[in-house]
Amino acid sequence: MVVARLAHPADFEGWREQARALAQRWVLPEDIAWHVAGEGPDLFAAMPRRDREDLRAVSVPRAFPDLAESVICHSDPGRFALLYRLLWRLQAERDLLKVVTDPDIYRAEAMARSVRRDIHKMTAFVRFREVADEEGAVTYVAWFEPEHHIVERAASFFVERFTGMRWSILTPRRSLHWDGETLHVAAGASRLEAPGDDAVEACWRTYYASIFNPARLKVKAMKAEMPVKYWRNLPEAGLISSLIADADKRTQEMVRQAPTLPPERHERMARRAPAVSAELPEEIGSLAEARIAAADCQRCGLYRCATQTVFGEGPQDAPVVFVGEQPGDQEDLAGKPFVGPAGKLFDRALAEAGLDRSRAYVTNAVKHFKFEQRGKRRIHQRPNAGEVRACRFWVAQELAFIRPRLVVALGATALQALTGKAGSLTVARELELKLEDGTALVATVHPSFLLRVPDEETKERELKRFIADLQRVGQMVPEMRRDEAA
Ligand code: URA
């Protein structure tokens, strides 16, 4: 008997390496004992190995590693042996994976499906609760009980979806901790370590009850998608029986009621969000007056946390207006746009492109800094569509008074603010665009995108492209160039 040791229950790399070496040495499937560190006593620790010396070449079809990566996460203790048996058989039976009636294949496919389903359930049913430490820093903690060893496989979904938050997902076997930059995989936890009810949960229950549509209720489909075994960790589960019980009565009431009209609030919002080239309201007669009025802006909720309104800056007759996303931490404190790290990079790129910033008007799509407080740090948060829409009023004022020949959208948020539509920046960057009133529009990336590019080579390439876009601005509006008499 040969002992193959694995570092953890879903140790695919460990399994692959050893399985290949064992198969090369002709070790028969029935002669291998697979042992996972920490799981039961290692009875074969002192067993001598008697491998054959003559090596054979081992290869597998392309689809096998994918299948094996899923199967290895299954909780069946026989999964390692099953995979090795498949590996062994594949050396002689090259089309084995296509034989769906083969008992080994059938079992492996069923295990892979069960693992994929479990990953899907984890992405759907993890519910975070807010926990603050002594310094007030917030972490979101969730408790989940997967059926299989899927925690690492599911991690990338949460990292991508919740990159800007600090979170932990505790499970009985393994736990994930994300600090905003690095993912740590740690030992399992107990349900008692998971936080209980929080305020967010109460909101979530209210929200869930309000979106529950009794007329669309299909109890069987609901239980298939949201199996009852997950309910004990779902805050909304407590509502489900009463929502189901009342569904019939509520549906009949809905049928009796007259159709609802759009809320009056929608109309008000539409009136408050004029197109970018809108007429000026009578009470604002100049750019200077717009700046003063914007200082008291409460058109969205961002004014509550920001230090001040950061209005645009530059000559009133500037031929070019650059529009960024929103002020950052340093801009919020200084009350000036593009003075922080993104601003420094912007200045450098303008200089490289031969443009003179002092001849341009520089502003932002949103005039208040949106952030999340994490301890002492204020972490930038992207403005949402409502905030961008509310602030289009001010961008419209700026453009109407300045009447530039060219507007440059720095990034997708600026493009959305200027066109009123969420479009692809990549596509827009290649096009010759115009605003509604005919003003030329150039779309390029936001300088902070360049600050976030992780590898140097790509960063260098993207910076060159950005500079080339700015040079195009210089060609379209020569007065912007340093070498041109002002
Ligand atoms: N990013 C922006 O979009 N604007 C600023 O003023 C600073 C950073």
Side-chain angles (χ1 to χ4, degrees):
M1 183 65 79
V2 169
V3 182
R5 293 187 177 76
L6 301 170
H8 59 84
D11 181 9
F12 177 66
E13 291 309 322
W15 178 87
R16 182 158 68 172
E17 212 172 283
Q18 297 187 72
R20 179 185 293 273
L22 291 164
Q24 281 172 340
R25 291 179 167 73
W26 303 89
V27 179
L28 290 166
E30 55 273 28
D31 287 345
I32 306 173
W34 294 92
H35 182 265
V36 178
E39 280 187 8
D42 187 354
L43 297 174
F44 307 96
M47 194 77 68
R49 291 179 56 152
R50 283 188 303 272
D51 301 346
R52 267 170 63 165
E53 290 303 322
D54 55 323
L55 297 188
R56 67 164 163 175
V58 170
S59 64
V60 289
R62 254 172 222 272
F64 182 67
D66 275 353
L67 176 69
E69 254 190 291
S70 291
V71 172
I72 209 119
C73 299
H74 201 277
S75 49
D76 184 333
R79 62 196 180 282
F80 308 116
L82 169 67
L83 288 176
Y84 187 75
R85 198 161 56 246
L86 284 175
L87 174 70
W88 183 274
R89 291 182 59 196
L90 280 167
Q91 304 316 302
E93 304 167 59
R94 299 306 288 178
D95 285 332
L96 177 61
L97 292 182
K98 294 185 194 137
V99 187
V100 287
T101 49
D102 179 275
D104 281 343
I105 296 295
Y106 182 79
R107 188 168 153 220
E109 290 289 0
M111 286 163 83
R113 267 198 308 279
S114 176
V115 164
R116 284 196 293 270
R117 210 169 30 244
D118 204 24
I119 294 174
H120 168 70
K121 298 295 179 210
M122 180 164 172
T123 59
F125 297 139
V126 155
R127 298 281 183 271
F128 287 106
R129 280 132 172 144
E130 194 177 308
V131 178
D133 68 15
E134 319 77 65
E135 287 177 18
V138 169
T139 302
Y140 293 86
V141 182
W143 171 253
F144 187 73
E145 294 169 55
E147 202 175 324
H148 304 298
H149 304 281
I150 54 158
V151 169
E152 282 105 322
R153 288 286 303 279
S156 60
F157 168 86
F158 294 97
V159 168
E160 278 160 29
R161 176 69 66 92
F162 304 112
T163 318
M165 288 165 38
R166 286 191 341 168
W167 51 259
S168 295
I169 302 176
L170 312 179
T171 85
R173 298 186 185 116
R174 309 272 274 177
S175 298
L176 299 174
H177 303 280
W178 172 254
D179 61 9
E181 277 167 13
T182 314
L183 182 73
H184 302 275
V185 182
S190 130
R191 191 163 204 274
L192 301 174
E193 291 171 57
D197 225 339
D198 71 355
V200 176
E201 248 171 44
C203 286
W204 168 245
R205 273 194 293 265
T206 309
Y207 172 71
Y208 185 84
S210 74
I211 58 160
F212 179 85
N213 184 346
R216 294 196 154 195
L217 177 65
K218 287 200 178 73
V219 178
K220 235 168 127 190
M222 180 181 181
K223 285 189 176 163
E225 178 51 29
M226 192 169 159
V228 175
K229 71 177 175 186
Y230 295 107
W231 286 22
R232 73 190 183 114
N233 294 320
L234 297 178
E236 67 269 32
L239 299 172
I240 293 177
S241 345
S242 60
L243 290 172
I244 293 177
D246 288 349
D248 255 355
K249 207 169 96 211
R250 285 182 56 201
T251 308
Q252 282 164 23
E253 267 165 31
M254 282 163 72
V255 172
R256 272 198 306 275
Q257 273 169 14
T260 47
L261 296 170
E264 210 256 318
R265 177 168 56 92
H266 287 191
E267 300 233 330
R268 271 204 322 270
M269 279 166 64
R271 281 199 299 273
R272 276 207 322 227
V276 160
S277 51
E279 296 281 302
L280 296 180
E282 276 169 27
E283 65 271 28
I284 298 180
S286 68
L287 189 60
E289 280 178 27
R291 172 189 295 279
I292 293 167
D296 293 326
C297 179
Q298 299 186 0
R299 298 176 72 87
C300 73
L302 294 183
Y303 73 94
R304 290 199 189 92
C305 299
T307 309
Q308 57 191 311
T309 303
V310 180
F311 209 66
E313 257 195 7
Q316 175 152 355
D317 60 352
V320 175
V321 170
F322 287 94
V323 184
E325 184 196 76
Q326 60 158 345
D329 182 68
Q330 296 194 26
E331 288 80 11
D332 170 76
L333 298 173
K336 291 168 175 295
F338 283 99
V339 292
K344 300 237 157 56
L345 180 65
F346 181 46
D347 286 346
R348 229 180 73 210
L350 283 171
E352 294 257 343
L355 302 189
D356 186 349
R357 174 166 169 173
S358 69
R359 296 183 193 182
Y361 185 87
V362 178
T363 190
N364 283 300
V366 170
K367 310 286 192 242
H368 280 118
F369 178 34
K370 180 174 181 182
F371 60 93
E372 183 198 321
Q373 189 80 46
R374 272 201 231 146
K376 292 193 180 127
R377 291 168 62 211
R378 301 191 299 171
I379 308 297
H380 162 275
Q381 287 210 305
R382 209 169 169 181
N384 64 33
E387 288 149 0
V388 172
R389 205 181 312 116
C391 226
R392 289 181 76 208
F393 175 83
W394 296 117
V395 180
Q397 303 282 327
E398 289 172 302
L399 294 184
F401 286 118
I402 296 169
R403 298 193 165 277
R405 294 193 5 235
L406 172 66
V407 178
V408 183
L410 299 169
T413 304
L415 185 63
Q416 184 183 349
L418 290 162
T419 59
K421 290 182 258 237
S424 157
L425 183 68
T426 318
V427 173
R429 199 175 185 184
E430 304 300 327
L431 301 177
E432 284 185 14
L433 303 165
K434 285 203 185 318
L435 292 180
E436 254 175 37
D437 67 357
T439 311
L441 171 66
V442 165
T444 183
V445 292
H446 191 284
S448 63
F449 157 75
L450 302 168
L451 291 174
R452 287 194 308 267
V453 177
D455 74 284
E456 283 310 312
E457 201 184 320
T458 318
K459 185 178 279 191
E460 199 51 37
R461 196 176 57 240
E462 287 299 333
L463 179 61
K464 281 201 182 119
R465 269 192 82 192
F466 181 52
I467 292 170
D469 286 343
L470 296 178
Q471 281 165 339
R472 184 151 68 98
V473 170
Q475 282 154 12
M476 292 168 81
V477 185
E479 306 95 281
M480 274 299 298
R481 298 211 295 254
R482 281 178 190 283
D483 56 12
E484 199 68 20

